Amino acid sequence: MGSESIYCQGVGVRISQLARETEVPVATIKFYLREQLLHDGELTSPTQAQYDEGHVRRLRLIRALLGPGGLSIAATRELLDELVAPPAAQHDLLGIAHHAVNPAVPDGLDLAVTYQLMQRWGWHVDEQDHDTLAAFAHALQGLDAAGFELPEGALDLYARAMAEIAEAEVAAVPTDSAEAAVRYVVLGTVLVEPLLLALRRLAQQNASSRRFGDKT
Amino acid sequence: MGSESIYCQGVGVRISQLARETEVPVATIKFYLREQLLHDGELTSPTQAQYDEGHVRRLRLIRALLGPGGLSIAATRELLDELVAPPAAQHDLLGIAHHAVNPAVPDGLDLAVTYQLMQRWGWHVDEQDHDTLAAFAHALQGLDAAGFELPEGALDLYARAMAEIAEAEVAAVPTDSAEAAVRYVVLGTVLVEPLLLALRRLAQQNASSRRFGDKT
């Protein structure tokens, strides 16, 4: 949306222009600056700073993570820090992205059943992925506590479907640049979760509508 | 856990015993009573009430919805109300359960792409499922706003995987009693979401570990 034109002189813009360009109110941009989600502009006088295309891109990312991504300010800050200084190993990226979206779970969860399932499916999951294992164990415990029994074979079906999705996702991680890989992994983890959940609900409504018919 | 024995006399128990039985602190139970998540006990004197097995079951459900289910107090209250007075039509249940877990999204989202996709996949989704359609559109918009392009064919793969899961889930809805159906749909929607997301993350770690190898 015209972002080329306002920056083509190679000089930055003032905060009011940045706000117009990104459709984010000035007060909100100032809040992001205070919260260190957005990096400072370049000072051109003691009271004035200039912002560039990097700020526009970063603002769009912040809005996506806080909005549709559903992340907290703290989790967003942590992820953005990783985008600036990505880890050396491709595989570590996932752990960082997952850490940002894994829900807080109580300490001391029993992981025995979880490890049994990993073994049954032949999934290799590191010790370093402990909080994802704990998130899974916590979800299982929730079903159990509510007295909800999954239908026979449901867990295996879930695992098979998620394995198919994960294979395709990991195969598509760009390997040409670290920055591209980080963006892909972080955004693919955070922003695709709400998409998948909404898809499951739509698919259930479609299946239910065919099975039980409409009210009308 | 001994819940049979303390109720076999057919009389209720005091709040302190209910707390011991369910391992929920008395202050928390009182909070749930004030918030109308838990129904009142039977008054045996102006200052004393008795609680029964129904309270034990309800408390376990509340804990699961607020904990692993990740629901708010308000969403939990709404769902529990449905458990008490379930809707007549099987198909409406889904809408209610989905409403409780759909994220709040901005008004005036453009649903054109969403409807196109429903048509492409041949999914029949009601107008009454509007907030699930909006949740999906919002998730798509988030990807777009962050400049994240899904790999070729990824959306179709997600849709296929979720359709397979949804078919099995809807086929397993118990039809013998309304209460059983409501429990299944509500808990299967709310409590399986965190399970699926954790499974996707574990499957990604497994795929990544095989593709990129371990650090060690």
Side-chain angles (χ1 to χ4, degrees):
Chain A
M1 258 196 343
S3 69
E4 308 298 332
S5 60
I6 71 165
Y7 297 107
C8 67
Q9 307 96 322
V11 297
V13 298
R14 288 164 63 169
I15 198 166
S16 54
Q17 277 172 278
L18 181 64
R20 254 198 314 277
E21 172 70 15
T22 56
E23 297 177 43
V24 179
V26 169
T28 306
I29 295 178
K30 288 186 173 168
F31 170 75
Y32 295 156
L33 287 165
R34 274 199 310 279
E35 288 287 336
Q36 292 175 290
L37 297 180
L38 187 65
H39 47 294
D40 288 330
E42 198 188 332
L43 281 183
T44 52
S45 84
T47 58
Q48 197 134 77
Q50 278 195 334
Y51 301 89
D52 59 22
E53 282 170 70
H55 290 91
V56 173
R57 277 203 304 274
R58 175 63 68 101
L59 265 178
R60 296 212 163 111
L61 193 54
I62 293 169
R63 300 291 276 182
L65 293 174
L66 289 176
L71 291 195
S72 67
I73 297 277
T76 300
R77 188 189 300 114
E78 201 180 327
L79 274 190
L80 291 170
D81 288 348
E82 295 303 327
L83 282 178
V84 174
Q90 196 87 272
H91 182 57
D92 297 347
L93 275 176
L94 264 181
I96 291 158
H98 289 172
H99 184 70
V101 286
N102 275 325
V105 301
D107 287 336
L109 280 172
D110 184 357
L111 298 187
V113 175
T114 299
Y115 277 118
Q116 274 167 27
L117 288 168
M118 294 303 108
Q119 204 159 16
R120 177 160 109 204
W121 298 326
W123 289 10
H124 179 247
V125 177
D126 280 83
E127 257 310 306
Q128 75 186 64
D129 305 324
H130 181 270
D131 63 346
T132 306
L133 290 163
F136 180 72
H138 192 226
L140 281 180
Q141 196 194 52
L143 289 168
D144 202 44
F148 182 81
E149 260 182 70
L150 285 172
E152 180 82 23
L155 260 185
D156 293 318
L157 169 64
Y158 292 150
R160 223 164 39 237
M162 290 303 142
E164 197 193 343
I165 284 175
E167 283 296 335
E169 289 175 326
V170 167
V173 174
T175 50
D176 45 344
S177 90
E179 210 228 318
V182 180
R183 276 185 70 86
Y184 177 85
V185 170
V186 168
L187 297 178
T189 296
V190 177
L191 297 177
V192 171
E193 294 201 345
L195 188 81
L196 275 177
L197 293 183
L199 266 178
R200 170 172 173 247
R201 289 179 218 134
L202 290 171
Q204 286 175 337
Q205 287 167 352
N206 173 49
S208 166
S209 141
R210 280 188 290 104
R211 177 170 281 257
F212 300 113
D214 293 321
K215 284 182 313 175
T216 50
Chain B
M1 264 203 333
S3 70
E4 308 297 333
S5 59
I6 71 164
Y7 298 107
C8 68
Q9 306 97 323
V11 296
V13 300
R14 290 164 62 170
I15 197 167
S16 55
Q17 277 172 278
L18 180 65
R20 253 197 314 276
E21 173 71 14
T22 56
E23 296 177 40
V24 178
V26 169
T28 306
I29 296 178
K30 287 185 173 168
F31 171 75
Y32 295 156
L33 288 164
R34 274 200 309 277
E35 289 287 335
Q36 292 175 289
L37 297 180
L38 187 65
H39 47 294
D40 289 329
E42 197 189 333
L43 281 183
T44 53
S45 83
T47 58
Q48 196 134 79
Q50 278 196 335
Y51 301 88
D52 60 23
E53 283 170 69
H55 290 90
V56 173
R57 275 202 305 273
R58 175 63 69 104
L59 265 178
R60 296 213 163 110
L61 193 54
I62 294 169
R63 300 293 274 184
L65 293 173
L66 289 176
L71 291 195
S72 67
I73 298 276
T76 300
R77 188 189 300 115
E78 200 180 326
L79 274 190
L80 291 170
D81 288 348
E82 294 304 327
L83 283 177
V84 173
Q90 198 85 271
H91 182 57
D92 297 347
L93 274 177
L94 264 180
I96 291 158
H98 289 172
H99 184 69
V101 285
N102 275 325
V105 300
D107 287 337
L109 280 171
D110 184 357
L111 298 187
V113 175
T114 299
Y115 278 118
Q116 274 167 27
L117 287 168
M118 295 301 109
Q119 204 157 16
R120 176 159 110 206
W121 298 327
W123 289 10
H124 178 248
V125 176
D126 280 84
E127 257 311 304
Q128 75 185 63
D129 305 325
H130 181 270
D131 63 346
T132 305
L133 290 163
F136 180 71
H138 191 226
L140 281 180
Q141 197 195 51
L143 289 168
D144 202 43
F148 182 82
E149 260 183 69
L150 285 173
E152 179 82 24
L155 260 185
D156 293 318
L157 170 65
Y158 292 151
R160 221 163 43 236
M162 290 303 141
E164 198 193 342
I165 284 176
E167 283 295 336
E169 289 175 325
V170 167
V173 174
T175 49
D176 45 344
S177 89
E179 209 227 318
V182 179
R183 276 185 70 86
Y184 177 86
V185 170
V186 169
L187 297 179
T189 296
V190 177
L191 296 178
V192 171
E193 294 201 344
L195 188 80
L196 275 178
L197 293 184
L199 266 178
R200 170 171 174 248
R201 288 178 220 135
L202 290 171
Q204 285 175 337
Q205 286 166 352
N206 173 48
S208 165
S209 140
R210 279 188 290 106
R211 177 172 281 258
F212 299 114
D214 293 320
K215 283 181 312 174
T216 49

